[in-house]
Amino acid sequence: MSTLRSFFGMVMLLATTACAWTYPTYFGDTGLVLVPTAEVVPEATFDFAASYTTVRSDAVGDAKMFAVRADYGVAKNTEFFVFYSNPTDDNLNAIDGFGGGVKLNLVAEDRYSVIPSIGIGVRAIELKRLANLNMVETYAVTSKTIFGRGDMVEEGFAFRLHGGATFTNWSGDASASFIKPFGGVSYENVNGNAFAIDFMPAQKKNGMTYRENALSGVLRRQLSPGFSLEAGVTHPFGMGDNGAFYMGLIYHYFPISLSRY
């Protein structure tokens, strides 16, 4: 928890400006850190993220890895995403995984009414670590601005809540199914900077841990119109004993007509 407290202190110092950008989660879909939001990337828009992180384990030791994600707006309200996790050592706690999925935005948020944004999605992944596991996870999520200023086009900021539920089916060396809630909060500024906190609960059954409780936080700062830097604390894919620091770079590609979205 001391690492997480230090991170939140960093957020308060650095987030003097912090947008209407989209960001890929560790799974690849648009969202916070692990938690998806109801939004999708606009059509013909591409987000790419590469992060360096560790999976912490008191028993096995820390494992280092790169996590690469890509997200593409294949239609007006639909995105397709993929991810790949590449361990940099032979630590048994390292995560060697890949997968992808699709997310649809069913309802766009009306910031001036009670209507939230609503989305549904599915993730399919394979993780190789102490056990070989396959996961298919479907989810429904809603996102809503609870406080904001400006039009989020020329100026403004917004604090938003995100929440939903997952139905997860695990197979491979072990099998189980879970229905779990998730949630998060984000601050977005029109200048491209943001920070977010999210939580995904543990998935445990018959002495097997499929996913640990995962409390994550991230600060994202725009470096240029196409690039953002992120730094935070997370449980990558819900694996490991404790939250670990990570940092990475995000590239946004969008047509000139979508230079603000």
Side-chain angles (χ1 to χ4, degrees):
M1 292 302 293
S2 61
T3 303
L4 197 58
R5 285 195 296 268
S6 299
F7 167 72
F8 291 152
M10 179 182 67
V11 166
M12 297 306 296
L13 290 173
L14 296 181
T16 55
T17 56
C19 63
W21 294 110
T22 54
Y23 298 96
T25 68
Y26 256 74
F27 295 96
D29 43 2
T30 294
L32 307 180
V33 183
L34 298 178
V35 164
T37 62
E39 284 73 36
V40 299
V41 293
E43 185 176 4
T45 299
F46 176 87
D47 283 350
F48 175 83
S51 301
Y52 177 77
T53 189
T54 58
V55 181
R56 301 184 61 186
S57 172
D58 295 335
V60 185
D62 294 353
K64 301 175 178 62
M65 69 179 195
F66 286 98
V68 181
R69 298 94 75 194
D71 194 344
Y72 182 69
V74 296
K76 181 179 179 181
N77 298 310
T78 306
E79 67 181 22
F80 174 76
F81 54 90
V82 294
F83 87 90
Y84 175 62
S85 171
N86 181 33
T88 62
D89 56 41
D90 295 327
N91 189 306
L92 292 177
N93 203 50
I95 298 173
D96 183 358
F98 69 94
V102 63
K103 182 169 69 168
L104 286 73
N105 177 245
L106 302 179
V107 178
E109 179 185 12
D110 183 346
R111 295 185 61 224
Y112 303 102
S113 74
V114 297
I115 299 175
S117 183
I118 299 173
I120 57 173
V122 59
R123 303 160 164 170
I125 70 175
E126 179 183 13
L127 297 175
K128 299 178 181 179
R129 42 192 292 271
L130 298 178
N132 293 334
L133 295 173
N134 302 308
M135 183 195 84
V136 176
E137 183 168 76
T138 59
Y139 58 82
V141 57
T142 182
S143 300
K144 185 71 180 83
T145 299
I146 56 172
F147 179 75
R149 288 286 186 270
D151 58 11
M152 292 301 287
V153 176
E154 296 297 331
E155 62 180 1
F157 66 88
F159 285 92
R160 308 185 72 218
L161 288 178
H162 314 272
T166 58
F167 173 73
T168 312
N169 182 70
W170 293 92
S171 61
D173 291 347
S175 61
S177 296
F178 302 91
I179 297 177
K180 295 284 186 176
F182 61 80
V185 61
S186 64
Y187 167 75
E188 306 165 1
N189 193 289
V190 72
N191 64 13
N193 299 332
F195 71 81
I197 301 168
D198 68 24
F199 177 75
M200 297 191 76
Q203 296 181 352
K204 300 181 180 182
K205 191 172 185 179
N206 299 327
M208 174 72 178
T209 298
Y210 296 84
R211 180 184 292 164
E212 296 283 359
N213 285 318
L215 177 63
S216 305
V218 66
L219 172 67
R220 290 167 173 142
R221 187 170 184 83
Q222 183 180 344
L223 303 178
S224 72
F227 288 91
S228 297
L229 182 69
E230 66 176 354
V233 179
T234 190
H235 281 47
F237 311 109
M239 306 298 176
D241 294 338
N242 302 287
F245 176 79
Y246 80 95
M247 65 182 303
L249 190 67
I250 301 167
Y251 171 68
H252 309 275
Y253 168 79
F254 43 88
I256 295 176
S257 61
L258 293 175
S259 58
R260 284 290 184 184
Y261 63 84

